């Protein structure tokens, strides 16, 4: 394709070293769709004849079918997906195929391909997120009365419901959806028509191409259009945050599944055993997702480092954007699919959760609040409750198991109504406000969650 300028053939190793077809052929459908739109625009603008335009479009559709049927022969010698398709087109329809590249460059072509691919994958991610969110809402709705310890510093803090904890996961994932929806708008801008870097002298109409390809807007500067990969970095950044959320969930599931906690049962189909220890049931899915998070973080660092020292406009460095981006997509979608299948099927061990909640003096803050309502300043109430807990520790019992006389020994404000405040159910019900642990509030949060999921614009931004 550049033989006119060069006096010798490209070194065989260099040709293989610089080729990208082995990985960028993943974007073949996007490349062909972009070419069909470009050829259609060339025909409508009179840059090529309508007959030539149709012949090119027919040939491209034939190539797309060959690829779908697994009959297309890819060649490393042709370097990338673009030249493989164009070469096959010329073989099919003759010299008319050589007119396809009129008014464009591989620079704006690949930028368009990546945006089309990322737009499609963003919709896949959003669909998987929606499935996972709805699954969590279903799980939460079954366990608004299931009590478990809430933790800070991984120490028992206050009672919460399992549903309340699951809804915390849900909130993380809603923010993830909002980020991807926002990013989709910036992905969905068309660079095609920018040519190599300065635009083209042909009388093209970029609005035609943008409409045919479903782009929301057109990149406004040709230099930026061919060299920008912000949208890819932004997608990978969103993916990193999402994977961080999945990793935090994984860590909790791994802990909860252990014999020391025994909070949840993960169905066997998401676990594996040991080759030597017959009793083992290992949480391989959450462990792998936790591990794969590091992989996605690495892809974000790769893309940032790749772009940080590139002058305008396009540079060959940008060929290195695709493999980390593709790996990020594969890792993220695989992890989401696994979690969408696994999380809604968690089975909480209600008895173990309740017993664990009773072991950590989880209602101590409720006793302090009780004393404050009786007129004691909070700092004094804090001290009284601290002494009460110390007695409970010494006797090996929860403060709710101390006698009224023992409790009144620390404050004469304590009456026989105190035990209503020291029950786990009383603690949950007392936090009866938006975002609180009261079962009726959690139920309303679940219903609001369903509305929020349905109101998000998942498959398009309009």
């Amino acid at each position: 394709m550049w033989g006119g300028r060069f006096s010798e053939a490209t070194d065989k190793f260099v040709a293989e070293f610089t080729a990208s077809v082995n990985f960028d052929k993943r974007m073949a459908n996007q490349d062909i769709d972009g070419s069909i739109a470009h050829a259609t625009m060339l025909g409508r603008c009179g840059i090529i004849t309508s007959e030539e335009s149709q012949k090119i479009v027919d040939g491209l559709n034939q190539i797309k079918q060959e690829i779908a049927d697994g009959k297309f022969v890819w060649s490393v010698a042709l370097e990338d997906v673009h030249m493989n398709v164009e070469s096959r087109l010329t073989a099919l329809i003759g010299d008319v195929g050589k007119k396809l590249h009129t008014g464009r460059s591989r620079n704006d072509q690949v930028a368009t391909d990546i945006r089309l691919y990322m737009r499609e994958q963003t919709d896949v991610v959003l669909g998987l997120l929606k499935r996972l969110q709805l699954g969590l809402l279903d799980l939460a709705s079954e366990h608004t009365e299931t009590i478990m310890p809430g933790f800070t510093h991984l120490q028992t803090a206050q009672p919460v419901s399992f549903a309340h904890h699951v809804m915390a996961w849900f909130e993380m994932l809603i923010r993830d959806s909002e980020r991807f929806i926002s990013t989709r708008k910036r992905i969905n801008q068309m660079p095609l028509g920018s040519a190599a870097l300065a635009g083209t002298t042909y009388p093209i109409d970029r609005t035609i191409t943008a409409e045919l390809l479903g782009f929301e807007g057109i990149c406004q500067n040709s230099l930026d259009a061919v060299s920008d990969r912000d949208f890819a970095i932004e997608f990978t950044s969103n993916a990193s945050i999402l994977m961080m959320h999945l990793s935090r969930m994984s860590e909790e599931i791994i802990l909860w599944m252990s014999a020391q906690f025994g909070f949840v049962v993960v169905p066997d189909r998401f676990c594996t055993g040991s080759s030597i220890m017959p009793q083992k049931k290992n949480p391989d899915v959450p462990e792998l997702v936790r591990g794969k998070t590091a992989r996605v973080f690495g892809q974000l660092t790769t893309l940032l480092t790749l772009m940080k020292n590139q002058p305008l406009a396009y540079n060959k460095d940008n060929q290195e954007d695709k493999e980390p981006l593709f790996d990020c997509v594969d890792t993220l979608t695989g992890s989401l699919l696994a979690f969408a299948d696994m999380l809604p099927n968690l089975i909480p061990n209600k008895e173990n959760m309740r017993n664990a909640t009773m072991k950590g003096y989880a209602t101590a803050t409720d006793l302090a609040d009780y004393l404050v309502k009786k007129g004691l300043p909070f700092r004094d109430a804090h001290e009284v409750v601290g002494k009460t807990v110390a007695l409970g520790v010494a006797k090996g019992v929860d403060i709710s198991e101390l006698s009224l006389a023992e409790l009144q020994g620390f404050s004469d404000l304590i009456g026989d109504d105190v035990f209503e405040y020291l029950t786990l159910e009383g603690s949950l019900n007392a936090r009866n406000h938006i975002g609180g642990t009261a079962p009726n509030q959690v139920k309303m949060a679940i219903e609001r969650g369903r509305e929020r999921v349905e109101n998000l614009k998942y498959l398009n931004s309009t």
Side-chain angles (χ1 to χ4, degrees):
M1 64 190 126
W2 48 66
R5 166 66 176 82
F6 285 67
S7 60
E8 61 179 359
T10 303
D11 180 85
K12 183 177 183 296
F13 168 75
V14 171
E16 294 176 353
F17 182 71
T18 58
S20 60
V21 66
N22 287 334
F23 52 84
D24 67 17
K25 65 184 179 182
R26 171 188 292 229
M27 300 188 299
N29 282 341
Q30 288 79 20
D31 190 73
I32 292 171
D33 290 342
S35 291
I36 288 173
H38 182 68
T40 302
M41 180 275 295
L42 292 177
R44 291 185 188 178
C45 292
I47 298 170
I48 61 177
T49 68
S50 58
E51 291 79 10
E52 290 172 328
S53 173
Q54 189 59 53
K55 194 171 185 179
I56 290 171
V57 169
D58 291 343
L60 289 168
N61 280 320
Q62 182 176 338
I63 294 170
K64 180 183 276 193
Q65 189 60 52
E66 289 178 359
I67 294 171
D69 294 340
K71 297 178 180 178
F72 190 89
V73 179
W74 298 98
S75 170
V76 173
L78 291 170
E79 189 174 350
D80 56 32
V81 61
H82 321 298
M83 294 311 301
N84 269 265
V85 170
E86 187 176 321
S87 176
R88 176 59 179 156
L89 179 66
T90 302
L92 284 173
I93 67 173
D95 285 349
V96 173
K98 297 178 181 179
K99 295 188 176 185
L100 171 61
H101 211 53
T102 305
R104 74 174 184 185
S105 162
R106 285 190 300 172
N107 294 357
D108 62 341
Q109 188 178 358
V110 69
T112 302
D113 290 358
I114 296 174
R115 286 178 181 268
L116 290 171
Y117 174 80
M118 294 312 301
R119 183 180 72 188
E120 177 184 296
Q121 294 306 313
T122 298
D123 289 343
V124 170
V125 168
L126 287 168
L128 288 169
L129 269 169
K130 181 176 183 178
R131 181 179 159 199
L132 175 54
Q133 289 158 359
L134 292 174
L136 289 179
L137 291 171
D138 289 342
L139 178 64
S141 67
E142 297 174 7
H143 295 287
T144 56
E145 308 283 345
T146 301
I147 295 176
M148 66 175 291
F151 297 98
T152 61
H153 307 276
L154 205 54
Q155 305 297 310
T156 299
Q158 292 177 312
V160 298
S161 67
F162 183 63
H164 193 61
H165 196 111
V166 169
M167 288 302 292
W169 292 349
F170 173 82
E171 291 294 331
M172 298 177 189
L173 298 176
I174 280 288
R175 293 193 296 272
D176 290 318
S177 290
E178 291 169 346
R179 272 185 283 269
F180 277 102
I181 289 169
S182 176
T183 295
R184 191 188 190 280
K185 296 178 181 179
R186 286 177 286 284
I187 291 172
N188 204 25
Q189 304 293 313
M190 190 187 74
L192 200 61
S194 300
L197 76 161
T200 178
T201 58
Y202 296 97
I204 62 173
D205 187 337
R206 297 180 73 195
T207 61
I208 293 175
T209 322
E211 182 178 348
L212 289 170
L213 292 172
F215 282 110
E216 294 177 60
I218 296 171
C219 296
Q220 296 295 299
N221 182 281
S222 59
L223 285 168
D224 178 63
V226 298
S227 60
D228 169 45
R229 294 298 183 269
D230 289 2
F231 62 93
I233 294 170
E234 193 173 339
F235 178 96
T236 313
S237 175
N238 296 344
S240 295
I241 296 172
L242 173 49
M243 288 296 294
M244 177 266 290
H245 289 154
L246 298 185
S247 185
R248 293 181 70 186
M249 297 175 201
S250 295
E251 178 72 8
E252 291 185 322
I253 293 166
I254 292 163
L255 285 171
W256 293 351
M257 225 185 119
S258 69
Q260 289 71 25
F261 276 77
F263 282 6
V264 297
V265 174
V266 177
D268 289 353
R269 61 186 179 277
F270 301 106
C271 302
T272 63
S274 165
S275 63
I276 187 172
M277 295 169 283
Q279 84 282 9
K280 292 293 294 298
K281 179 178 175 180
N282 297 325
D284 277 17
V285 168
E287 284 179 347
L288 265 178
V289 169
R290 185 175 60 180
K292 286 178 181 293
T293 299
R295 185 175 184 140
V296 173
F297 289 0
Q299 310 304 3
L300 174 59
T301 301
T302 296
L303 290 174
L304 286 167
T305 307
L306 174 69
M307 296 303 300
K308 76 175 184 64
N309 61 348
Q310 285 197 45
L312 293 174
Y314 181 84
N315 301 277
K316 188 67 169 177
D317 311 44
N318 278 355
Q319 182 171 297
E320 291 298 306
D321 64 353
K322 296 168 197 64
E323 288 180 287
L325 191 55
F326 295 161
D327 188 76
C328 174
V329 166
D330 292 344
T331 303
L332 178 61
T333 54
S335 298
L336 280 172
L337 181 60
F339 264 49
D341 288 341
M342 180 184 72
L343 286 190
N345 290 294
L346 292 180
I347 304 169
N349 188 321
K350 298 179 182 181
E351 183 178 355
N352 284 359
M353 284 182 169
R354 186 180 184 88
N355 290 341
T357 311
M358 292 296 295
K359 290 178 181 177
Y361 303 96
T363 59
T365 305
D366 295 273
L367 179 56
D369 292 341
Y370 169 86
L371 290 168
V372 169
K373 291 173 184 176
K374 294 284 188 175
L376 194 65
F378 180 79
R379 283 301 166 202
D380 293 337
H382 191 286
E383 181 180 359
V384 168
V385 176
K387 292 177 180 178
T388 305
V389 170
L391 177 61
V393 171
K395 296 188 67 173
V397 298
D398 186 69
I399 56 175
S400 64
E401 297 173 302
L402 295 173
S403 69
L404 179 59
E406 287 173 319
L407 292 171
Q408 289 176 332
F410 297 105
S411 173
D412 57 10
L413 294 174
I414 296 176
D416 57 10
D417 61 339
V418 70
F419 294 103
E420 299 172 17
Y421 292 82
L422 298 182
T423 65
L424 300 182
E425 286 78 10
S427 179
L428 257 64
N429 287 318
R431 288 156 175 80
N432 190 19
H433 54 75
I434 293 176
T437 59
N440 65 303
Q441 290 290 343
V442 176
K443 289 174 184 176
M444 287 190 286
I446 292 168
E447 291 309 306
R448 289 195 301 272
R450 294 190 191 281
E451 293 176 8
R452 291 163 70 190
V453 169
E454 294 307 323
N455 287 336
L456 284 172
K457 307 296 184 183
Y458 277 94
L459 298 181
N460 57 64
S461 57
T462 56

